[in-house]
Amino acid sequence: MSARPLKVVAVCGSLQLPSKSQALLDAIVEELGEKLDITTTSISLTDLAPTLAGSLSRSTVGPQLETALREIESAELLVVVSPVYRAAFSGLFKHLFDLVDQRALEGTPVLLAATGGSERHSLILEHHLRPLFSFFQAVTLPLGVYGVESDFVDYRIASDSLRERVERVVERAVPLIRHIHPEVTERAEHPASV
C-alpha cells in the first residue's frame, strides 16, 4: 500500500469569528501537520449557520451545507472544537451532526476539544462531546483538550500550559491514528511508534 496524506476535517462549533475555539482548532491542526502528512478541510459553524438553522432534514439542505456534510462523512480524522454554551455545545452544533448520516463516522477517529470561561465546564468533553460521537460509533481519541478564557489573549493562545496540552493530545493521538490508517505518511522526524 502506498503512503498518502490523511484527510482531516476540522469543525469549529463557534458562532463568531474570531474565536478562541477557532484558535484552539488551528493549533491542533498545525500540531497534527507537524507529525503527519495531512490535507485539511475546515468547516465553520459561522459559515453554515444561516442555512443550517432552516434545514429540517437532509433532503432540504442547500449546496454549501451538503458539501460540508459530505466532507464530515468522508473524514479520516475529525477534529471537533466547540465553545461551551450554557453548559453544553450549541443547538446549531448538535443540529449539524443531526444531519450527518448515522453510519458515516463508524470507526472514524475523532479528536475532541472545547473552550469555556472556566474549568467548571471542562467536562463538556466527557459528558456531551464523547457521547455524541459514541452514538456514531466513531473512535473518540482518549485525550481531549479544553481551554479557558485565561489561556487566550486577542483570540490567540497565550498559555504555555494549553500549548503543552495540545502537543500531548496530538502526541497520544498519532499512534492510534496510525493504527487505524497505517498507509498515512508520518513526518520523517517522527518515526512510526505503533
Side-chain angles (χ1 to χ4, degrees):
M1 113 184 44
S2 59
R4 61 172 183 77
L6 179 74
K7 180 180 180 181
V8 175
V9 177
V11 180
C12 181
S14 179
L15 294 171
Q16 66 179 26
L17 279 177
S19 76
K20 293 177 277 302
S21 293
Q22 186 65 55
L24 179 55
L25 183 63
D26 292 344
I28 292 167
V29 170
E30 183 180 331
E31 187 68 22
L32 278 165
E34 290 181 14
K35 306 275 192 286
L36 298 170
D37 185 12
I38 63 173
T39 60
T40 307
T41 300
S42 295
I43 295 172
S44 173
L45 218 54
T46 55
D47 296 332
L48 301 177
T51 57
L52 179 59
S55 299
L56 300 180
S57 69
R58 186 69 179 257
S59 63
T60 65
V61 304
Q64 180 188 21
L65 181 51
E66 180 62 32
T67 298
L69 291 168
R70 288 185 185 192
E71 287 294 331
I72 290 169
E73 292 168 347
S74 64
E76 292 179 314
L77 171 65
L78 200 55
V79 181
V80 179
V81 181
S82 176
V84 176
Y85 286 104
R86 299 188 182 192
F89 41 67
S90 72
L92 279 179
F93 177 86
K94 173 64 165 61
H95 188 50
L96 174 65
F97 285 95
D98 286 341
L99 296 171
V100 169
D101 182 274
Q102 182 175 335
R103 304 231 178 265
L105 299 179
E106 286 180 9
T108 302
V110 182
L111 197 157
L112 305 173
T115 58
S118 74
E119 293 291 341
R120 290 179 306 173
H121 298 298
S122 62
L123 286 175
I124 186 177
L125 298 172
E126 303 305 321
H127 292 182
H128 295 282
L129 290 170
R130 198 171 299 280
L132 173 63
F133 291 101
S134 292
F135 164 81
F136 286 105
Q137 297 179 47
V139 178
T140 55
L141 297 171
L143 283 183
V145 62
Y146 180 79
V148 296
E149 188 84 29
S150 60
D151 288 325
F152 301 88
V153 172
D154 296 328
Y155 301 103
R156 286 186 223 142
I157 294 177
S159 158
D160 290 338
S161 172
L162 182 56
R163 283 191 197 96
E164 288 168 10
R165 292 194 309 273
V166 167
E167 289 172 13
R168 187 177 325 114
V169 162
V170 171
E171 183 180 303
R172 298 262 181 97
V174 166
L176 296 167
I177 294 165
R178 294 273 300 138
H179 181 73
I180 295 168
H181 295 290
E183 72 283 4
V184 169
T185 310
E186 197 159 357
R187 296 285 182 206
E189 62 273 21
H190 302 282
S193 54
V194 174

